[in-house]
Amino acid sequence: MDRGRKAIELEERFGTRNYAPLPVVLTRGKGVFVWDARGKRYFDMLSAYSALNQGHNHPAIVAALKRQLDRLTLGSRAFHNDRLGPFLEKLCTLTGMERALPMNSGAEAVETAIKALRLWGYRRKGIPEGQAEIVVAAGNFHGRTTTLVGFSSDPGSREGFGPATPGFKTVPYGDAAALAAALGPNTCGVLLEPIQGEAGVAIPQPGWLKAVGEHCRKAKVPLCLDEVQTGLGRTGRMFCWEHEGVKPDLMTLGKALSGGLYPVSAVVGKDAILGLFTPGTHGSTFGGNPLACAVASAALDVLVDEALPERAAELGVYFLERLGGLRHPRIKEVRGLGLMCAVEFREPIAKEFCKHLMARGVLAKDTHQTTVRFAPPLVITKVQLETAFEAIRDALRDL
Ligand SMILES: *Cc1c(COP(=O)(O)O)cnc(C)c1O
């Protein structure tokens, strides 16, 4: 029995069944490519849900990790470490924000933002204790903690894990008027994804985010944008909100913040909100550790030094045009922004399509049975993108 088959068997025997991976066993990655246990090469068109914007094993990030490994990996926030301050400065400069709070997973960053918004609601807005409300959007994906799945509209994420944490009000996504109507005296924040990635790359109408920003400003309610997936170059700007110039009061980052080497997330934002945390009100054993800071600093440098947002903008236009030119009776829509693209089918054939893609050397992931997302590492070249596109076109013929 080969190594790959054995690995899958062990996973099925000893693991839990909360994923349904394609039958491919990855053993190596470099840039836009991954290799399976048999040595077959694939284009990675998922990029670990955009955690690999800088590509697999980027040499500068790997080197930064190795250097730090030989020095200090963890000290805890009970003590200072020499990497945290410089990393926070870099992150605040890049985001144009006043303060940053480092965590580990994206879900933790969103949980931290929720705590910050509630704290602001009680301490600054004067909302009666226990009454704070956050307005969220239908179709959201913010992570897998009990609080976050409690206000998910996806039954598969939510059902069986109640009771849901109270204090969330759901409005339709992309509807600024409905959002405005939901803002009340107990609203301590609005939490949104500028584009909903997990929902299948749902892109609201132009002007929606601008209108949301204006409603929040008028109602004096902080706006928190979850840019864990859309941020750090993916949509053709460093942050997705830049497309409409709506700078949020808080923003969550994760995924590509470490270039895929290590879990690093953060909340960045205004001092008026994040400045409210005092010693003992929030924390994380691993958050802000020197290894994470060294890796994330290098990952941010790569985004800037290699102009990856600009590359995503330019190649995104090209790729979307190529995908848009595909003629197939079962395709319903092709959409995208930057290198965050999706093909939606009229029928639930997304998984079947992914298997054909895999056979042709392209790894991609289906979402909600009808949609396949294409989000390659942003370091992809135009020639590589064209090769991947041709494989996608051919796999479509296999359907
Ligand atoms: C992936 C994701 C998260 C959760 O990140 P984890 O690291 O998996 O906890 C949160 N928000 C958005 C928008 C995401 O895409």
Side-chain angles (χ1 to χ4, degrees):
M1 183 163 35
D2 71 52
R3 199 151 59 95
R5 189 67 248 151
K6 180 79 184 163
I8 292 178
E9 277 197 15
L10 291 173
E11 199 177 310
E12 285 171 353
R13 169 71 183 80
F14 295 105
T16 57
R17 298 188 192 91
N18 52 325
Y19 277 94
L22 283 173
V24 59
V25 179
L26 305 183
T27 58
R28 193 158 63 87
K30 187 79 206 147
V32 300
F33 297 115
V34 285
W35 285 264
D36 72 9
R38 289 196 183 90
K40 178 175 170 175
R41 193 185 78 171
Y42 302 84
F43 278 99
D44 183 354
M45 297 295 273
L46 178 65
S47 307
Y49 308 91
S50 293
L52 290 158
N53 289 358
Q54 299 89 336
H56 287 269
N57 294 52
H58 192 290
I61 315 175
V62 170
L65 181 134
K66 286 182 176 170
R67 272 197 307 275
Q68 190 61 38
L69 268 180
D70 287 331
R71 292 179 188 159
L72 179 71
T73 57
L74 180 64
S76 92
R77 296 290 301 272
F79 315 111
H80 296 282
N81 73 68
D82 66 346
R83 302 307 307 248
L84 179 58
F87 167 59
L88 295 176
E89 181 191 31
K90 190 182 290 265
L91 187 57
C92 286
T93 304
L94 184 81
T95 55
M97 295 292 193
E98 292 165 345
R99 290 191 186 277
L101 199 169
M103 297 294 286
N104 312 286
S105 68
E108 279 178 306
V110 180
E111 287 273 356
T112 303
I114 289 169
K115 287 174 75 174
L117 291 172
R118 286 179 170 183
L119 201 56
W120 177 87
Y122 297 125
R123 299 283 193 274
R124 288 288 174 272
K125 189 170 174 174
I127 296 171
E129 188 62 38
Q131 301 296 305
E133 210 167 69
I134 294 174
V135 176
V136 298
N140 70 72
F141 181 85
H142 296 292
R144 298 291 192 169
T145 64
T146 50
T147 289
L148 301 179
V149 301
F151 62 86
S152 167
S153 36
D154 172 28
S157 299
R158 188 189 65 245
E159 285 173 5
F161 305 114
T165 305
F168 297 92
K169 196 173 200 169
T170 305
V171 297
Y173 187 59
D175 185 341
L179 183 134
L183 303 177
N186 289 344
T187 310
C188 66
V190 169
L191 169 65
L192 297 166
E193 297 155 89
I195 289 175
Q196 289 183 335
E198 293 314 295
V201 189
I203 306 176
Q205 289 297 310
W208 165 76
L209 192 59
K210 202 162 203 112
V212 166
E214 277 161 23
H215 288 308
C216 287
R217 195 171 41 80
K218 267 190 229 147
K220 293 191 170 61
V221 166
L223 172 63
C224 176
L225 292 179
D226 181 351
E227 293 245 17
V228 168
Q229 188 164 154
T230 52
L232 304 173
R234 174 53 57 190
T235 71
R237 305 298 291 264
M238 189 59 84
F239 306 105
C240 191
W241 59 258
E242 292 176 50
H243 289 286
E244 294 201 359
V246 182
K247 188 175 172 182
D249 303 290
L250 288 186
M251 172 165 65
T252 53
L253 295 172
K255 295 198 166 117
L257 186 51
S258 66
L261 267 74
Y262 188 92
V264 184
S265 69
V267 188
V268 294
K270 288 190 172 159
D271 173 62
I273 304 168
L274 290 178
L276 294 173
F277 283 119
T278 51
T281 52
H282 193 58
S284 162
T285 302
F286 280 86
N289 73 70
L291 191 62
C293 294
V295 167
S297 291
L300 291 179
D301 286 345
V302 168
L303 291 172
V304 175
D305 294 348
E306 299 186 14
L308 295 185
E310 292 79 0
R311 193 184 188 87
E314 195 186 313
L315 292 181
V317 170
Y318 167 75
F319 188 44
L320 204 59
E321 192 187 296
R322 294 298 268 145
L323 289 175
L326 291 169
R327 291 286 162 260
H328 195 280
R330 295 165 95 175
I331 290 182
K332 184 178 167 198
E333 190 186 48
V334 167
R335 55 181 176 264
L337 187 64
L339 281 173
M340 190 173 189
C341 302
V343 173
E344 184 175 347
F345 294 99
R346 296 177 199 283
E347 299 143 60
I349 52 169
K351 183 115 190 181
E352 185 192 332
F353 182 47
C354 286
K355 286 182 183 156
H356 289 301
L357 285 168
M358 190 181 124
R360 291 196 175 268
V362 169
L363 295 183
K365 168 88 168 68
D366 55 299
T367 168
H368 299 281
Q369 290 157 48
T370 53
T371 305
V372 177
R373 188 172 12 184
F374 293 110
L378 308 184
V379 294
I380 197 166
T381 66
K382 191 166 181 180
V383 171
Q384 288 171 333
L385 196 57
E386 177 60 23
T387 307
F389 168 77
E390 283 163 11
I392 292 167
R393 182 195 59 200
D394 294 344
L396 202 57
R397 291 192 190 126
D398 301 336
L399 265 179

